[in-house]
Amino acid sequence: MRALFVPLLLVYASGSGKVAGASGPKGNRFVCTAVPAGTDLSCPVDTSSRVQSTSPQEEELRNTIIQLRETILQQKETIVSQQGTIKELNSKLARCEADAKSRGSARRKDYSKNTMGDLPRDPTETVEQLGKTMQSLKGRLENLEQLRVNTSGGTFPNELKDLLKRRLTDLESQLLTRVLELEEEKSQLYNETATHRQRTENTLNSLLERITELEKSNNAFKSPEDFKVSLPLRTNYLYGRIKKSLPEMYAFTVCMWLKSSASPGIGTPFSYGVPGQANEIVLIEWGNSPMELLVNDKVAQLPLSVSDGRWHHICITWTTRDGFWEAYQDGERLGTGENLAPWHPIKPGGVIILGQEQDIVGGRFDATQAFVGELSHFNMWDRVLRPVDISAMANCSAYMPGNVVPWVDANVEVFGGATKAALEICEDRLFDS
């Protein structure tokens, strides 16, 4: 290849030379001309004859060389451009992977927070961004294909083309996998959001019910539970009624404050009747008999005495397991027993009456069994309370509203001349003592 190029010789010519050159101040010119290799440069060179003696074969070789140089430069530019495209594809893939990892970790971090009302962001925006990236990469591949067609004298390397196609195929597969993962996460987020919203709505509804009860309560009471029900006469028409019923229960604890001086017997502080069984739960002291607890019309006698005209705190616990029961008075357990309606579940949907024993559900009262006195803080739980909790309530060191039936003004109705009045039970009890 080098034999085709000849060295250059600077020739000093007179001002009358025909070859174009740089004109000096005196009309002299310097001319560059090609001479064959090995020529003695000390000899004068005839410029005009040398230029004119160029053969057609040398001219063709020169043109071929120029074309080859242009082709090489074009191929070099193409390779550089393709290398840049490959680097950009690798960079795009790395950013996609990093973005997927960062979004996954950020979402897991957001889920660990216990916030209310903060909902996870919809991954639709991420899917759209991935789709735009995919379209951009496809456009770049089409540009590379067009460059191969338009390149004169050169061919697009098959290895590079196959590499680009493989990289693009892998990227498409990864993008498709990521889109499917995002769709699955979107479905899970929707389900979690619906559950979260339902829990929030339930909590708000409970709060609204509590606020409504407080608003409906008697303004004369300092708080909704600071009141008493007075039943001054032994009749069959004075009574109170609990608006809420009971669910099915396998154990219960019922506590209340009582004040009575009636004799013989204080009567029936409360009764719970259900269809088919008016004596599902009854607490009664009738005539000269001791106080009794009835469960499903089965009877257990309790060692309680509260007819001295003072406030007393009593609690009764029962569980269907072996029919085991306990009786507390003023925080002290005075008696226990078993085999009281064992394995019998308390039936739901009945009526709780204060001050009367029911012969049918909600009615047919007997005046001889009516309670005479005052009653307050009637609470009921669907479990057996601990002795320490019962003692704390009896000593006025704690207050625990029932989780099944709480003592709330708005939850108690009175009939037949029974009345509700404000009461601070601990102060009143202290005054009695």
Side-chain angles (χ1 to χ4, degrees), residues 28 33 62 65 98 103 155 159 206 214-215 220 236 300 337 356 362 367 405:
N28 297 329
T33 184
R62 183 179 292 107
I65 291 170
R103 288 180 183 275
T155 59
E159 294 81 359
S206 299
L214 293 175
E215 290 176 346
N236 62 353
Q356 297 285 352
V405 177

Side-chain angles (χ1 to χ4, degrees), residues 157-219:
N158 292 329
E159 294 81 359
L160 183 58
K161 178 179 178 181
D162 295 338
L163 177 61
L164 291 175
K165 285 186 175 180
R166 286 196 303 270
R167 296 291 291 179
L168 187 58
T169 301
D170 293 341
L171 185 57
E172 287 179 347
S173 177
Q174 294 177 12
L175 291 175
L176 180 60
T177 302
R178 183 56 184 161
V179 167
L180 294 177
E181 292 176 353
L182 289 174
E183 290 293 336
E184 184 177 357
E185 290 179 4
K186 181 179 180 180
S187 177
Q188 294 176 354
L189 290 175
Y190 176 80
N191 295 333
E192 293 176 0
T193 301
T195 303
H196 177 74
R197 184 181 296 109
Q198 184 63 37
R199 289 198 301 266
T200 303
E201 290 178 354
N202 292 338
T203 302
L204 291 176
N205 289 334
S206 299
L207 291 175
L208 289 174
E209 290 179 0
R210 179 61 176 169
I211 292 172
T212 302
E213 291 176 353
L214 293 175
E215 290 176 346
K216 290 181 179 179
S217 63
N218 193 332
N219 294 330

Side-chain angles (χ1 to χ4, degrees), residues 6-28:
V6 294
L8 300 178
L9 176 65
L10 296 177
V11 180
Y12 178 74
S14 64
S16 59
K18 301 297 181 179
V19 182
S23 298
K26 296 181 180 182
N28 297 329

Side-chain angles (χ1 to χ4, degrees), residues 132-150:
K132 292 180 181 179
T133 303
M134 193 66 204
Q135 293 295 331
S136 176
L137 294 177
K138 287 185 177 181
R140 290 183 178 276
L141 183 60
E142 292 176 357
N143 293 337
L144 291 175
E145 290 286 352
Q146 188 66 29
L147 178 62
R148 180 184 66 82
V149 175
N150 295 336

Side-chain angles (χ1 to χ4, degrees), residues 249-256 270 281-283 292-295 300-304 313-329 331-341 346 379-391 393 400:
M249 298 188 301
Y250 299 92
F252 68 80
T253 298
V254 57
C255 296
M256 70 195 79
F270 86 97
I281 305 175
V282 180
L283 182 65
E292 296 176 339
L293 173 65
L294 281 69
V295 176
Q301 293 185 346
L302 310 180
L304 304 180
H313 184 264
I314 66 171
C315 283
I316 310 297
T317 72
W318 174 88
T319 175
T320 186
R321 183 181 179 87
D322 296 327
F324 182 77
W325 59 267
E326 299 172 302
Y328 292 80
Q329 180 173 325
E332 182 181 356
R333 188 171 66 177
L334 299 183
T336 63
E338 58 183 5
N339 202 33
L340 176 60
I346 301 301
N379 290 284
M380 200 165 190
W381 297 263
D382 58 359
R383 65 183 186 276
V384 174
L385 293 185
R386 301 178 303 169
V388 63
D389 295 328
I390 295 175
S391 177
M393 288 188 291
M400 295 175 54

